[in-house]
Amino acid sequence: MLQEALVEGVLRRALQGGADFAELYVERSRRRRMTVRNGRLEEATSGLEYGAGIRLFFGVEVVYAYTNDLSPQSLLEALETLLRARGEAGRVDERGAGGLDFRKEAPRGLHAPRIPLGAKDKRYRLERLLEAEAAARLAPEIRQVEASLQEWEQEVLVANTEGVWREDLRVRTRLFVLAVAQDEKGVQTGYAAPGLSLGLELFDLYPPKTVGEKAARQALTNLRAKPAPAGTMPVVVGNAFGGVIFHEALGHLLETTSVAKKASVLADKLGEEVASPVVTYIDDGTLPHAFGSSEMDDEGMPTERTVLIEKGVLKSYMVDRLGSLLTGYRRTGSGRRQDYTFAPTSRMRNTFIAPGTTPVEKLIEGVEYGLYAKELGGGQVKPGSGEYNFAVQEGYIIRKGRLEEAVRGAMLVGKGPETIRKVVAVADDLKTAPGMCGSLSGMVPVEVGQPHVLVSELVVGGKA
């Protein structure tokens, strides 16, 4: 995306200006979105972004600037602005006297799409969305349906003064279906939203008809459900997106962004038991075609599988370059950013509880009275402490070891570090689900996941 001589010139000038380390991040991305609502095309948009970010380290002090003008003059102006801001302009470091010996690595295609986004026209996409929209109309109570397709293509180059020159191509596709059901008693919603790091073969793996029907069935189930009970009770949390609780209320506490500042209750606890012995918690950026996977992070380091908690014992944090400098922990390929307008910070990729050996039926059979939170929706988390509340998107009462009536309006309330200690059984049916995670370095694609887990007690907010 940029000539080597220009990249080298910018990085060398950074060293001459007194920086200990300099990094140039260049990005060219294209995003497309198409939406169908109630059988009509509502939106078909696309946009291009092209820009670069420059990050300089002076010890553990970091300055960052970005520009969407990639001319040599603009890049050097951005660099000089950083040097002036740091007050070190003009100081020549001897390492800047020679050239940089870049070790160039091109993408290996680990997550390359089988059907590239450019292989099909808009009509093909529109027909798939109309299939999903029509399939969601399972009953007269379905009053509104919206189906959307989101696509990203992102080319990335990271070069730095340690000689790293690494490129990556990331392609992601996601299908959303939202169904709204209504009767004389109220309005309820259901949704389904599969997504992966691949191209339009997503439609082969998740046929639009199946996705539409899933969203509609959830809306109809909630429409006919009874108000959820309130109280403290055992809860079986569903697999796949059920993992969002631990992503938000545990995973963020393991990022050096909060650990380095001692803003996490899990700081300085390596080697200590922080979870139930049945829990092993992993963040893996290498899973083939997972929504949060990439060949490298946004600091140019290859991604890896990082075991965070093993059988309840804290083994590692998620560590970016700055986090490593501040804490001394080994980098884990976890530096991520939304785009070139953000400096990277330590972030999750694909985070999940490893599967256990208990059949899911046994989890439910062991509960005298409790809640089965099959699908979770949105929620809120207090940074640092992991206090959370999450809505149950689809739930059922467990009575004498059997699933009984559907309930709606349930809310799970707790603290992540306490809840993870109350997991008493982990099933063998691991699944993951895509999502977008927001933090200091913007919104990044991730996967959350887990098998079904049984939590011995949770506070359930409800109306009954």
Side-chain angles (χ1 to χ4, degrees):
M1 287 186 278
L2 285 182
Q3 295 295 317
E4 181 177 330
L6 175 56
V7 173
E8 182 178 347
V10 171
L11 296 178
R12 190 170 55 199
R13 173 67 191 110
L15 293 180
Q16 290 171 335
D20 300 314
F21 170 84
E23 170 193 87
L24 182 62
Y25 174 90
V26 188
E27 175 192 10
R28 177 165 49 211
S29 64
R30 178 172 185 174
R31 295 171 183 258
R32 300 183 180 90
R33 181 184 179 95
M34 179 178 285
T35 300
V36 166
R37 186 176 301 125
N38 295 329
R40 298 184 58 179
L41 177 63
E42 293 287 334
E43 177 186 8
T45 59
S46 66
L48 290 170
E49 288 188 351
Y50 190 30
I54 302 171
R55 188 168 58 145
L56 307 184
F57 281 65
F58 301 86
V60 294
E61 293 182 40
V62 179
V63 288
Y64 187 75
Y66 63 89
T67 176
N68 60 6
D69 180 352
L70 299 190
S71 66
Q73 180 182 5
S74 176
L75 289 171
L76 288 171
E77 282 181 0
L79 175 63
E80 295 298 338
T81 299
L82 290 178
L83 293 174
R84 284 195 299 273
R86 181 56 173 64
E88 295 286 345
R91 186 165 69 85
V92 177
D93 189 294
E94 61 180 5
R95 289 170 297 177
L100 293 170
D101 183 17
F102 289 120
R103 302 181 299 277
K104 293 190 175 182
E105 294 187 38
R108 290 181 292 164
L110 298 179
H111 313 290
R114 181 171 54 82
I115 304 178
L117 302 183
K120 300 290 185 181
D121 61 13
K122 291 180 180 177
R123 178 170 296 280
Y124 173 83
R125 292 167 167 81
L126 177 59
E127 290 172 351
R128 301 292 81 75
L129 291 178
L130 289 173
E131 288 175 13
E133 196 273 349
R137 298 193 176 279
L138 291 177
E141 290 88 349
I142 299 294
R143 302 297 175 85
Q144 184 174 323
V145 179
E146 180 176 297
S148 297
L149 179 66
Q150 293 186 7
E151 306 163 49
W152 299 266
E153 286 178 308
Q154 183 190 39
E155 295 175 76
V156 171
L157 163 65
V158 177
N160 66 36
T161 49
E162 293 178 346
V164 168
W165 180 295
R166 189 166 280 131
E167 298 175 60
D168 200 4
L169 173 62
R170 302 155 183 175
V171 178
R172 295 184 172 95
T173 307
R174 194 174 185 191
L175 172 63
F176 295 83
V177 178
L178 172 68
V180 180
Q182 182 177 10
D183 63 10
E184 66 281 0
K185 296 179 181 178
V187 178
Q188 297 293 327
T189 61
Y191 73 92
L196 289 167
S197 288
L198 42 63
L200 294 174
E201 63 266 39
L202 182 76
F203 291 132
D204 298 332
L205 299 171
Y206 295 94
K209 179 175 183 294
T210 303
V211 177
E213 290 175 348
K214 180 180 179 182
R217 279 196 294 271
Q218 189 177 79
L220 292 169
T221 296
N222 285 331
L223 192 67
R224 295 157 186 164
K226 297 179 179 179
T232 300
M233 63 188 75
V235 175
V236 174
V237 183
N239 58 2
F241 201 67
V244 71
I245 288 181
F246 297 118
H247 169 97
E248 297 289 356
L250 182 72
H252 281 299
L253 303 182
L254 300 175
E255 296 167 337
T256 48
T257 304
S258 57
V259 170
K261 293 183 284 189
K262 313 294 185 189
S264 165
V265 296
L266 296 178
D268 299 324
K269 292 190 179 296
L270 278 183
E272 297 184 23
E273 186 174 288
V274 298
S276 162
V278 300
V279 171
T280 292
Y281 197 49
I282 296 168
D283 183 60
D284 191 345
T286 70
L287 292 177
H289 302 291
F291 206 53
S293 291
S294 56
E295 293 193 21
M296 67 175 192
D297 71 357
D298 291 327
E299 296 181 323
M301 181 176 177
T303 53
E304 65 167 43
R305 177 184 175 92
T306 308
V307 177
L308 303 170
I309 297 172
E310 185 174 24
K311 297 180 180 179
V313 177
L314 183 59
K315 293 292 186 179
S316 177
Y317 297 105
M318 287 165 278
V319 187
D320 64 334
R321 176 178 289 277
L322 178 58
S324 180
L325 285 174
L326 293 171
T327 64
Y329 298 137
R330 180 187 66 85
R331 290 170 64 197
T332 56
S334 304
R336 303 189 69 194
R337 62 182 110 195
Q338 175 178 311
D339 54 39
Y340 71 91
T341 65
F342 291 84
T345 61
S346 57
R347 303 291 296 273
M348 284 173 275
R349 300 159 301 197
N350 309 298
T351 316
F352 54 90
I353 293 177
T357 58
T358 308
V360 63
E361 299 81 10
K362 295 295 182 183
L363 264 63
I364 294 172
E365 287 175 7
V367 177
E368 180 68 17
Y369 178 79
L371 178 71
Y372 173 37
K374 182 178 180 181
E375 296 271 357
L376 294 185
Q380 295 179 324
V381 177
K382 185 176 181 180
S385 68
E387 294 173 77
Y388 67 82
N389 61 73
F390 278 92
V392 177
Q393 182 69 22
E394 183 177 347
Y396 300 84
I397 289 296
I398 304 173
R399 194 174 285 113
K400 295 182 179 178
R402 296 171 57 91
L403 288 182
E404 297 203 346
E405 70 271 20
V407 294
R408 66 183 185 225
M411 186 73 73
L412 303 183
V413 182
K415 286 185 178 181
E418 294 178 2
T419 303
I420 199 70
R421 290 179 177 275
K422 296 178 180 176
V423 175
V424 293
V426 178
D428 56 0
D429 58 344
L430 170 65
K431 285 187 177 180
T432 59
M436 297 298 292
C437 173
S439 189
L440 292 177
S441 57
M443 301 293 291
V444 298
V446 297
E447 281 196 358
V448 302
Q450 63 180 37
H452 281 78
V453 300
L454 171 59
V455 183
S456 58
E457 62 174 24
L458 268 180
V459 175
V460 177
K463 297 181 179 178

